[in-house]
Amino acid sequence: MPIKIFRPVPSSSSDSSRRRRRLALVKQYDGYEETQIVGKTKFFDSLRLPVRESLLYYHFGISQSASSTLCSISILLRAISARYCANTAVSMRHAMPHPADSLRGTGTSLDALLTAEYLKQRHSLPLPEAARRFAGALTRAEASGVFRNVWHCDVRSLYPSIILAEGWVPAHDELGEFPRLLSALRTFRLEAKDAARTDPDPARRSYFQALQSSFKILINSFYGYLGFSQGTFNDYDMAERVTARGRDILTSMLHFLTGAGARVLEMDTDGIYFQPPPGVEDAAAFNTRIQAVLPAGIEVELDARYEAMFSYKSKNYALLDSSGVVSITGAALKSRGLEPFQRKFMAAIVEHLLRNEKEKIPLEYEALRQSIADRTIPLAELAKTENLNDSPETYRRKLEAGTGRRSAAYELALRSGRNYQSGDQVTYYLTGEKKKVSVVDNAKLLSEAPAGERDENSAFYLNKLEELYANFAEFI
């Protein structure tokens, strides 16, 4: 006898329609559960597959006979770890309950994990809450420029820790699966993070670093899932409480640091970059002092010290570590929407600032400017690459309907006669003679550049270089 799986809701035409879309029929078939989803849902598209294989275990290649033993999160984690590779992006796919070609982010994958547990226990599924806005994290830059001897203190898994410390559970998670999964995954990630620092084998440290980074993304998605409009167990009130508590915790750390004589440089969701108070050298002792102002269940660690930091603006900064490696964070400093020559020049400016080599920056600028003016720079360095989010035909229909705007990448795709599809990339440069020209009307595919001659708009690219250089003038 089929079992209807849905939460009763007040009767109305819209509610009835939503309920029909989420109706699931589960029955016994040849000794294992089989599911048929009636109507269109975000996970199933009317598939008829074993519940455990389609939702949780299929991706790990585990046999049906073994699947009944894989109900505990610890065994699931071992299965994930066994399939793990050092590349975080690839290994995230191994950690998700979907085949790689159907992965649509950690939100949908977490939803599948939770839904699988409910189906496995033959419990009703709730309807998602309607989306709404709520206040986010505390992020701001307290200072801009170059700073030496910078420390970073980080709250270990801030949002997951808040959820667990407060004992909060999404309103519709009647089985308590959300905190159970979060607790096990957080413990696993923190153990991997500790191993990444302490394991004597460099190869294993690299392995654990990739592992903890991958699971950091996964466990942090638990908070994001609360505000995920398609999440079966989303809870916007709880998401708002979590961010509010996070802001309170970060603010208490800020007050302690400034009161102790430290100079705070950057605050970003769950961590603070700062210069320590004069005379403070013992990081462990200072970490203990910070920990003392935090509530139970919230752990802080001084996890890094840097030779220098360049703070450009909020969430855009660069760091120079003790081994001489430079890392850059923020779209304003490394946006993929910029031409390669701009990204490389910005990276050079930042590195020279961090290494206290300001005198080299004007020389770099003049050399780059000359190469653009005399057209010796490779043309590919001037070309911009854009992704097509829609198909060219969809773009055309939007223009005809008056709901879209002209785009150089789409116009080139349409004129090329090639079969461009959504997700494809278009690389182009600009022709012309004036520094201010219409991008759409002067764009040309890089692949169609004339052989043996140059026709790029040098004035346009020189103007871009001058504007970029001016943006960093105050720091040079």
Side-chain angles (χ1 to χ4, degrees):
M1 184 71 179
I3 299 174
K4 295 183 179 180
I5 300 183
F6 61 89
R7 178 182 298 278
V9 294
S11 177
S12 71
S13 59
S14 60
D15 287 337
S16 178
S17 174
R18 293 174 68 190
R19 183 167 60 214
R20 284 196 301 271
R21 289 197 302 270
R22 297 188 58 79
L23 176 62
L25 303 179
V26 179
K27 66 179 181 179
Q28 293 294 324
Y29 184 78
D30 287 343
Y32 64 90
E33 288 177 336
E34 184 174 293
T35 186
Q36 179 181 5
I37 302 301
V38 180
K40 185 177 180 181
T41 72
K42 56 185 174 293
F43 299 120
F44 299 99
D45 285 338
S46 300
L47 295 178
R48 188 177 179 87
L49 293 170
V51 170
R52 291 188 177 91
E53 291 187 2
S54 63
L55 288 177
L56 192 55
Y57 305 118
Y58 164 72
H59 188 69
F60 302 106
I62 299 169
S63 67
Q64 177 60 40
S65 61
S67 67
S68 61
T69 68
L70 292 180
C71 297
S72 72
I73 191 65
S74 60
I75 297 177
L76 172 60
L77 290 173
R78 286 199 293 273
I80 293 171
S81 183
R83 291 287 303 275
Y84 196 88
C85 94
N87 183 285
T88 298
V90 173
S91 53
M92 276 305 297
R93 292 179 175 178
H94 288 289
M96 295 297 101
H98 291 292
D101 59 358
S102 67
L103 187 63
R104 292 295 183 270
T106 53
T108 53
S109 299
L110 175 55
D111 200 72
L113 279 172
L114 294 167
T115 302
E117 293 301 317
Y118 271 69
L119 291 179
K120 187 169 62 181
Q121 299 184 49
R122 295 167 171 262
H123 196 284
S124 61
L125 295 173
L127 293 172
E129 294 182 0
R132 68 172 178 84
R133 293 181 177 274
F134 57 93
L138 179 61
T139 59
R140 67 174 185 247
E142 298 290 321
S144 60
V146 180
F147 307 93
R148 308 291 167 186
N149 185 28
V150 175
W151 294 10
H152 180 251
C153 62
D154 174 74
V155 179
R156 291 165 67 98
S157 301
L158 175 61
Y159 288 162
S161 296
I162 290 172
I163 293 171
L164 294 173
E166 299 291 343
W168 291 337
V169 181
H172 302 303
D173 180 16
E174 296 179 354
L175 298 181
E177 291 298 326
F178 185 94
R180 184 181 72 83
L181 290 173
L182 175 57
S183 178
L185 291 167
R186 176 180 178 273
T187 299
F188 183 82
R189 183 252 168 171
L190 293 179
E191 289 175 353
K193 185 176 181 180
D194 291 338
R197 290 198 306 267
T198 60
D199 196 289
D201 183 352
R204 286 179 59 81
R205 286 201 302 272
S206 177
Y207 164 83
F208 284 121
Q209 178 60 33
L211 186 63
Q212 75 87 16
S213 296
S214 180
F215 276 82
K216 178 181 180 180
I217 296 171
L218 179 57
I219 67 172
N220 283 341
S221 73
F222 275 73
Y223 156 72
Y225 176 81
L226 296 171
F228 177 39
S229 62
Q230 299 179 47
T232 305
F233 302 91
N234 63 3
D235 186 336
Y236 286 89
D237 288 341
M238 181 173 164
E240 199 162 43
R241 293 199 306 273
V242 171
T243 53
R245 192 76 179 103
R247 293 193 299 271
D248 290 343
I249 289 171
L250 216 60
T251 300
S252 67
M253 293 170 61
L254 170 66
H255 291 162
F256 167 79
L257 289 171
T258 54
R263 182 178 185 182
V264 173
L265 306 175
E266 171 88 19
M267 303 173 65
D268 189 1
T269 305
D270 59 359
I272 299 177
Y273 291 95
F274 65 96
Q275 290 178 303
V280 172
E281 296 291 339
D282 190 337
F286 199 63
N287 186 93
T288 301
R289 293 173 61 189
I290 300 175
Q291 183 67 60
V293 305
L294 299 180
I298 305 299
E299 300 178 21
V300 69
E301 60 179 342
L302 281 169
D303 59 352
R305 300 171 70 165
Y306 298 96
E307 296 293 321
M309 176 179 185
F310 170 61
S311 179
Y312 185 55
K313 59 182 180 180
S314 179
K315 304 183 75 171
N316 289 269
Y317 54 86
L319 300 161
L320 174 66
D321 67 20
S322 58
S323 62
V325 175
V326 173
S327 58
I328 299 176
T329 298
L333 295 177
K334 58 175 185 179
S335 172
R336 293 183 180 273
L338 297 173
E339 294 86 350
F341 83 94
Q342 293 199 79
R343 292 199 304 270
K344 291 180 180 179
F345 184 52
M346 276 199 296
I349 290 175
V350 169
E351 184 161 347
H352 289 319
L353 289 173
L354 289 171
R355 299 187 190 282
N356 200 22
E357 301 170 342
K358 287 186 179 181
E359 70 281 357
K360 294 183 179 181
I361 297 176
L363 302 178
E364 292 250 9
Y365 169 73
E366 289 300 332
L368 179 56
R369 186 179 186 284
Q370 189 61 43
S371 71
I372 295 174
D374 60 22
R375 294 182 169 175
T376 58
I377 186 173
L379 188 56
E381 292 292 301
L382 304 176
K384 175 180 285 191
T385 298
E386 294 185 12
N387 293 318
L388 301 181
N389 295 323
D390 294 321
S391 69
E393 286 305 315
T394 300
Y395 164 78
R396 191 203 302 272
R397 288 196 298 271
K398 288 181 178 179
L399 282 185
E400 292 173 350
T403 59
R405 298 176 60 185
R406 294 185 71 204
S407 160
Y410 281 98
E411 293 292 333
L412 290 170
L414 288 169
R415 292 201 302 264
S416 70
R418 302 171 190 170
N419 187 29
Y420 280 100
Q421 299 295 323
S422 173
D424 288 344
Q425 292 185 328
V426 175
T427 301
Y428 64 91
Y429 65 101
L430 296 194
T431 59
E433 298 179 353
K434 297 181 179 179
K435 67 180 183 180
K436 299 292 184 181
V437 296
S438 166
V439 174
V440 174
D441 295 328
N442 289 271
K444 188 172 187 176
L445 288 173
L446 179 61
S447 60
E448 296 180 355
E453 61 179 281
R454 301 289 289 266
D455 62 348
E456 73 268 23
N457 188 335
S458 297
F460 174 82
Y461 291 110
L462 286 171
N463 184 61
K464 276 202 162 190
L465 177 63
E466 291 169 3
E467 290 178 347
L468 177 62
Y469 192 51
N471 289 340
F472 289 87
E474 65 178 292
F475 307 113
I476 300 173

